[in-house]
């Protein structure tokens, strides 16, 4: 239940006058249905220009926390942030990236940079296409480039298409059959130039949408007729990372089976390819020894035919290893109590690259104690050298011509792509240039940014700690009175096997610039801190995460950084479950917001997609635990207001989850509201829906918990049992 990209759209709400100090909004028409409300604009809503009191470095206007004016409006948040879905470099050294655009209803476009970085990048993807795969629902690995050709997955029909990257007028040509709908998806593909084909993960949902058949298949790139994909490897539940060596004679891949998730236990295999393109022999490289618990990931071949990968055997940390083919053994390259990989929620991750100019060197990223590092590992000497970088958070790396393209961010940089040029020895960064930014105009709000403070706090288990990023209220114009503590919004991340990171996120700055304190928690079970920390959640989901979130909130109250009477909690997906569980089983928080969250664990197991259908077996336990950890079964224990947001096309957490808890809380008499978005799936992608979700959370908390008037002009939706 990893949290996908968030966005906004036309929605459900009922009429209510906005806060008493706000002007009327006569240009809105609000249509009421039972509990779904559709929100329409008669014409473009006038943007509010914030008029701020004059100030100087020595004088600020005193106003209650939460009531401050801020230029970081919901329009800025929803429209400014583009998503990044991967990078690639073609044979000419040109950079390509996949960019999702909330202002185009979440459409994803392949963009081509120019060799001259001062020239404007151009869209490769025609307007009628959107590059996105729904394999395993979370997608990733939606495009691949070789020479002057790109192969991509089209969102609407999920077919693969081939397109020239050179011609402006090149029309995409379908490669896979039309099955009468988006019934077969592809992801994480690579070119096999020796046999003129494309090797990819294939997810076939024709027989069952809840029990899809996953395999590794080949797609013909030549010829005038579209052929059925040819299955090369099959029989297991899941596959990822098909990677071909330079000779085209060996194929590496990752596979795993129920009830494991890929970070629990997986296997790395190598298959030998015949002249006809079939896999005729297979060798299990890692994960086959029952005495060794490991989850290998990200296999990659060097030009010389050496296989590298990342696994967490013995140490419990994902570190770089290599395969010794002669005796089928595994050797560590460099060992460190740090994570060199991330959990496999999406396809196509690329955490390291072999430097082509010096093939004994590997450029990599690793994560240690809440921060990412860019480094060079010498595989022959088994040494590691950290490179200087302004990014404190790093994701994927792509090799360019005498450079690296790095996806990263920091507390002052939004998600960006940087071109990193190294010296001849690849030991030092000689140039670091940001060539793409998810929010290119964000710097104009710099004086309003709250910097994340990495905190370590005690949990309920003696001697154990968990981690979080705390963002204090920050505004250059306003301050609160000295005797007031700020309201706190605690966010519980999705996954739950995932990690929140301390980067510049306008969704967070929206809150802090208005006078809220914000804390983003990495509870026990999060990634980034090794297997032992990750496995704290096994059989204890709904307990460890809830306890850690409550402990973090109390820690901040005790530290004088938050008002204990104004603690709110929010989360999406698995974070929405933690939100609901915290409100059902604890009394720490005074209100909550659940975004496509889980209320009924048993129902989720029955209705969710194949990838996560057995996930909860390890996280929860048996039938008794499923009942006892489901908030829907303990409605009588809820005692505070809740607002719910749900996409109506969500196949990960279906809409029934939100509807059931909404009806139950409404029947109990608690203040509750439900907002449903047509056309949205797991995570909101449309700008108007991102905007509305953000606004309604804030005004909901302000009205019911905050004891202040928001500065923004927002029409609140009707709150049942309150309005």
């Amino acid at each position: 239940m990893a949290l996908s990209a968030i966005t906004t759209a036309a929605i459900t709400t009922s009429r209510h006058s906005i806060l008493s100090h706000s002007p009327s909004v006569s240009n809105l028409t609000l249509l009421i249905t039972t509990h779904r409300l559709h929100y329409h604009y008669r014409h473009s809503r006038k943007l509010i220009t914030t008029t701020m009191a004059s100030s100087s470095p020595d004088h600020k206007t005193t106003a209650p926390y939460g009531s401050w004016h801020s230029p970081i409006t919901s329009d800025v948040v929803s429209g400014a942030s583009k998503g990044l879905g991967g990078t690639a470099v073609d044979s000419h050294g040109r950079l390509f990236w996949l960019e999702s655009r909330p202002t185009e209803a979440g459409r994803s476009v392949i963009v081509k940079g120019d060799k001259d970085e001062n020239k404007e990048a151009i869209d490769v993807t025609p307007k009628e296409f959107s590059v996105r795969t729904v394999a395993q629902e979370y997608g990733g690995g939606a495009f691949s480039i070789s020479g002057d050709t790109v192969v991509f997955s089209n969102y609407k029909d999920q077919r693969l298409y081939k397109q020239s990257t050179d011609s402006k007028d090149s029309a995409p040509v379908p490669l896979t059959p039309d099955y009468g709908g988006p019934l077969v998806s592809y992801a994480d593909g690579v070119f096999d130039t020796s046999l003129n084909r494309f090797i990819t993960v294939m997810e076939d949902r024709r027989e069952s949408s809840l029990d899809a058949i996953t395999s590794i298949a080949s797609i013909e790139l030549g010829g005038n007729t579209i052929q059925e994909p040819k299955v090369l490897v099959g029989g297991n539940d899941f596959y990822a990372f098909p990677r071909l060596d330079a000779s085209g004679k060996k194929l590496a891949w990752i596979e795993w089976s129920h009830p494991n998730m890929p970070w629990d236990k997986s296997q790395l295999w190598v298959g030998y390819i015949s002249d006809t393109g079939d896999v005729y022999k297979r060798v299990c490289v890692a994960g086959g020894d029952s005495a060794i618990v490991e989850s290998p990931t990200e296999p990659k071949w060097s030009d010389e035919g050496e296989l590298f990968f990342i696994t967490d055997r013995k140490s419990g940390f994902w570190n770089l290893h290599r395969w010794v083919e002669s005796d089928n053994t595994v050797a560590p390259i460099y060992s460190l109590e740090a994570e060199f990989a991330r959990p496999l929620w999406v396809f196509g991750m690329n955490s390291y690259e072999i430097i082509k100019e010096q093939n004994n060197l590997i450029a990599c990223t690793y994560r240690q104690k809440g921060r990412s590092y860019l480094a060079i590992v010498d595989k022959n000497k088994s040494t590691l050298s950290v490179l200087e970088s302004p990014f404190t958070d790093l994701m994927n790396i792509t090799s360019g011509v005498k450079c690296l393209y790095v996806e990263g961010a920091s507390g002052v940089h939004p998600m960006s792509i940087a071109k990193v040029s190294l010296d001849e020895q690849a030991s030092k960064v000689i140039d670091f240039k940001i060539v793409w930014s998810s929010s290119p105009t964000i710097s104009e709000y710099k004086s309003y940014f709250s910097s994340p403070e990495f905190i370590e706090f005690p949990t309920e288990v003696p001697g154990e700690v968990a981690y979080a990023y705390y963002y204090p209220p920050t505004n250059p114009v306003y301050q609160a009175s000295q005797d007031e503590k700020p309201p706190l919004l605690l966010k519980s991340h999705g996954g739950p096997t995932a990690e929140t990171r301390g980067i510049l996120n306008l969704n967070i700055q929206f809150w802090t610039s208005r006078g809220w304190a914000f804390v983003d928690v990495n509870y026990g079970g999060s990634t980034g801190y090794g297997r032992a920390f990750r496995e704290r959640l096994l059989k204890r989901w709904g307990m460890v995460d809830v306890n850690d979130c409550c402990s973090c909130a109390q820690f901040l109250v005790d530290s004088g950084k938050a008002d204990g009477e104004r603690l709110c909690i929010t989360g999406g997906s698995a974070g929405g479950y933690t939100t609901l569980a915290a409100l059902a089983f604890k009394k720490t928080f005074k209100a909550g917001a659940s975004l496509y969250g889980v209320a009924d664990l048993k129902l989720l197991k029955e209705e969710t997609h194949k990838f996560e259908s057995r996930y909860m077996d390890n996280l929860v336990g048996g039938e008794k635990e499923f009942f006892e950890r489901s908030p829907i079964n303990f409605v009588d224990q809820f005692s505070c207001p809740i607002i719910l947001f749900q996409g109506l096309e969500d196949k990960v957490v279906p809409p029934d989850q939100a509807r059931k808890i909404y009806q139950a809380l409404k029947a109990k008499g608690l203040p509750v509201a439900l907002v449903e978005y047509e056309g949205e799936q797991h995570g909101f992608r449309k700008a108007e829906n991102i905007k509305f979700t953000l606004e309604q959370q804030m005004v909901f908390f302000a009205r019911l918990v905050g004891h202040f008037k928001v500065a923004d002009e927002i029409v609140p939706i009707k709150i049942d049992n309150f309005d």
Side-chain angles (χ1 to χ4, degrees):
M1 287 147 281
L3 184 60
S4 344
I6 300 181
T7 37
T8 23
I11 78 184
T12 339
T13 182
S14 53
R15 191 191 70 78
H16 184 275
S17 61
I18 58 178
L19 296 183
S20 57
H21 72 288
S22 305
S24 62
V25 187
S26 57
N27 58 335
L28 293 177
T29 300
L30 302 177
L31 304 179
I32 306 173
T33 61
T34 52
H35 62 276
R36 190 192 316 173
L37 319 142
H38 294 276
Y39 186 19
H40 301 275
Y41 284 95
R42 281 292 188 202
H43 51 78
S44 179
R45 185 175 178 179
K46 181 181 177 183
L47 291 180
I48 302 166
T49 303
T50 305
T51 304
M52 299 184 195
S54 60
S55 64
S56 69
D58 299 321
H59 174 74
K60 288 186 176 184
T61 299
T62 299
Y65 284 118
S67 70
W68 302 347
H69 290 270
S70 170
I72 305 175
T73 65
S74 57
D75 289 290
V76 169
V77 176
S78 62
S81 252
K82 294 172 287 188
L84 183 60
T87 55
V89 172
D90 72 359
S91 57
H92 305 290
R94 294 174 300 194
L95 175 68
F96 292 73
W97 62 90
L98 182 60
E99 177 180 299
S100 64
R101 298 169 177 171
T103 54
E104 296 182 31
R107 177 172 171 258
S108 294
V109 179
I110 297 171
V111 183
K112 177 173 68 174
D114 198 279
K115 279 188 175 181
D116 182 349
E117 291 163 5
N118 295 315
K119 291 185 178 180
E120 191 172 346
I122 62 172
D123 290 357
V124 174
T125 308
K127 292 187 180 300
E128 61 271 25
F129 288 85
S130 178
V131 180
R132 180 183 164 202
T133 176
V134 297
Q136 290 184 182
E137 290 302 322
Y138 299 114
F143 79 105
S144 184
I145 289 176
S146 178
D148 300 326
T149 301
V150 59
V151 171
F152 68 87
S153 176
N154 183 45
Y155 174 58
K156 186 176 181 179
D157 58 11
Q158 288 296 289
R159 297 172 73 185
L160 287 180
Y161 288 77
K162 179 176 70 172
Q163 183 185 4
S164 169
T165 59
D166 264 357
S167 172
K168 290 183 180 179
D169 302 319
S170 171
V173 177
L175 294 172
T176 53
D178 181 355
Y179 296 112
L183 300 175
V184 179
S185 297
Y186 310 88
D188 213 7
V190 294
F191 287 81
D192 181 356
T193 54
S194 62
L195 293 175
N196 195 27
R197 62 182 182 170
F198 191 69
I199 298 176
T200 178
V201 174
M202 179 172 71
E203 183 181 85
D204 188 342
R205 299 180 296 278
R206 283 177 290 178
E207 292 186 8
S208 171
S209 61
L210 295 180
D211 192 20
I213 298 170
T214 306
S215 61
I216 295 174
S218 66
I219 313 294
E220 295 299 321
L221 294 175
N224 297 320
T225 59
I226 296 173
Q227 300 180 30
E228 282 288 331
K230 178 182 180 181
V231 174
L232 301 178
V233 181
N236 211 335
D237 290 317
F238 304 100
Y239 295 91
F241 293 110
R243 297 295 182 260
L244 199 64
D245 77 342
S247 71
K249 295 298 183 182
K250 296 174 191 170
L251 179 71
W253 69 86
I254 298 295
E255 64 177 65
W256 67 100
S257 56
H258 282 317
N260 293 310
M261 298 300 283
W263 48 82
D264 295 324
K265 292 179 183 178
S266 58
Q267 295 180 338
L268 168 60
W269 287 78
V270 169
Y272 295 83
I273 299 176
S274 68
D275 293 339
T276 59
D278 296 309
V279 175
Y280 69 90
K281 176 186 172 184
R282 306 179 190 189
V283 174
C284 185
V285 172
D289 185 346
S290 60
I292 300 175
V293 177
E294 63 178 324
S295 50
T297 186
E298 294 196 48
K300 190 186 299 286
W301 298 93
S302 71
D303 289 342
E304 290 70 36
E306 194 170 14
L307 179 63
F308 299 93
F309 61 100
I310 297 173
T311 189
D312 59 348
R313 59 169 49 195
K314 297 182 180 179
S315 72
F317 288 88
W318 276 312
N319 283 190
L320 286 160
H321 290 71
R322 75 175 115 199
W323 178 41
V324 182
E325 184 177 6
S326 58
D327 57 1
N328 191 27
T329 57
V330 169
I333 295 173
Y334 187 83
S335 299
L336 186 68
E337 287 194 355
E339 300 280 49
F340 285 73
R342 289 163 282 141
L344 203 165
W345 280 107
V346 296
F347 291 105
M349 294 184 295
N350 200 50
S351 304
Y352 68 100
E353 284 276 31
I354 300 160
I355 297 179
K356 296 185 183 301
E357 292 79 14
Q358 300 187 51
N359 59 22
N360 63 305
L361 300 181
I362 299 173
C364 60
T365 68
Y366 68 89
R367 192 133 179 99
Q368 192 174 50
K369 293 187 177 179
R371 181 194 166 100
S372 296
Y373 297 87
L374 181 63
I376 299 292
V377 170
D378 188 318
K379 66 183 180 66
N380 295 336
K381 297 179 181 178
S382 192
T383 59
L384 179 145
S385 304
V386 176
L387 300 173
E388 289 187 10
S389 166
F391 291 160
T392 56
D393 182 83
L394 296 162
M395 304 295 277
N396 298 314
I397 297 179
T398 300
S399 287
V401 178
K402 296 184 178 179
C403 70
L404 301 168
Y405 290 102
V406 179
E407 301 172 23
S410 73
V412 295
H413 297 94
M415 182 53 65
S416 307
I417 304 172
K419 181 180 180 181
V420 182
S421 301
L422 306 178
D423 62 5
E424 291 295 327
Q425 293 75 38
S427 62
K428 188 170 71 172
V429 175
I430 58 175
D431 189 45
F432 188 100
K433 182 179 181 181
I434 293 177
V435 296
W436 178 88
S437 172
S438 60
S439 304
T441 61
I442 201 171
S443 59
E444 64 186 90
Y445 308 109
K446 188 174 182 179
S447 63
Y448 289 83
F449 292 162
S450 177
S451 297
E453 300 173 14
F454 180 69
I455 62 172
E456 186 178 286
F457 60 90
T459 71
E460 288 192 354
V461 179
E464 284 189 356
V465 297
Y467 309 94
Y469 298 96
Y470 171 75
Y471 299 79
T474 304
N475 189 303
V477 178
Y478 290 94
Q479 64 182 8
S481 63
Q482 292 185 353
D483 60 351
E484 185 187 6
K485 301 299 181 187
L488 174 74
L489 181 59
L490 182 145
K491 182 185 175 187
S492 171
H493 65 68
T497 312
E499 179 188 9
T500 191
R501 300 185 172 208
I503 66 174
L504 183 55
N505 182 341
L506 286 182
N507 279 281
I508 294 175
Q509 304 300 327
F510 177 83
W511 295 90
T512 56
S513 63
R514 284 166 173 73
W516 281 77
F518 193 104
V519 65
D520 215 347
V521 181
N522 278 319
Y523 46 77
S526 302
T527 57
Y529 301 90
R531 181 179 281 269
F533 190 84
R534 193 165 75 237
E535 291 187 344
R536 285 186 190 178
L537 210 57
L538 294 184
K539 306 298 183 185
R540 295 179 63 78
W541 189 33
M543 300 172 68
V544 169
D545 50 322
V546 168
N547 290 340
D548 286 359
C549 286
C550 293
S551 294
C552 181
Q554 191 58 52
F555 175 78
L556 292 172
V557 170
D558 294 342
S559 303
K561 294 182 175 181
D563 181 348
E565 295 303 312
R566 294 188 291 175
L567 301 178
C568 300
I569 184 170
T570 186
S573 191
Y577 166 69
T578 301
T579 294
L580 293 174
L583 298 176
F585 305 128
K586 297 282 187 176
K587 302 300 179 187
T588 302
F589 300 99
K590 309 305 178 184
S594 170
L595 286 68
Y596 38 94
V598 180
D600 186 333
L601 294 172
K602 184 175 181 290
L603 182 64
L604 178 68
K605 184 177 179 179
E606 293 169 353
E607 294 186 341
T608 196
H609 58 140
K610 179 183 176 182
F611 178 57
E612 293 180 88
S613 62
R614 301 289 300 278
Y615 187 18
M616 289 177 292
D617 291 3
N618 288 331
L619 287 177
V620 180
E623 187 174 333
K624 177 174 177 286
E625 288 77 18
F626 270 76
F627 181 87
E628 291 178 347
R629 310 261 185 86
S630 294
I632 190 66
N633 298 324
F634 298 90
V635 171
D636 60 311
Q637 295 183 199
F638 281 88
S639 59
C640 66
I642 300 173
I643 187 168
L644 307 149
F645 300 88
Q646 179 69 44
L648 292 178
E649 294 182 12
D650 193 337
K651 295 179 182 177
V652 178
V653 180
D656 279 352
Q657 293 277 341
R659 290 170 178 169
K660 282 184 67 176
I661 195 73
Y662 164 77
Q663 294 289 358
L665 294 172
K666 181 181 177 183
K668 189 191 176 185
L670 285 178
V672 64
L674 170 63
V675 177
E676 293 183 319
Y677 297 118
E678 292 181 348
E680 290 284 17
Q681 298 173 316
H682 196 64
F684 309 144
R685 295 176 178 270
K686 299 176 183 177
E688 63 270 28
N689 294 340
I690 298 172
K691 167 186 166 68
F692 195 83
T693 301
L694 197 57
E695 289 179 341
Q696 294 304 322
Q697 280 190 81
M698 186 180 71
V699 76
F700 183 87
F701 291 148
R703 296 178 69 200
L704 291 157
V705 177
H707 311 305
F708 54 78
K709 296 177 181 179
V710 298
D712 304 75
E713 181 187 358
I714 299 173
V715 180
I717 62 171
K718 178 187 175 184
I719 302 170
D720 291 298
N721 302 319
F722 181 77
D723 292 322

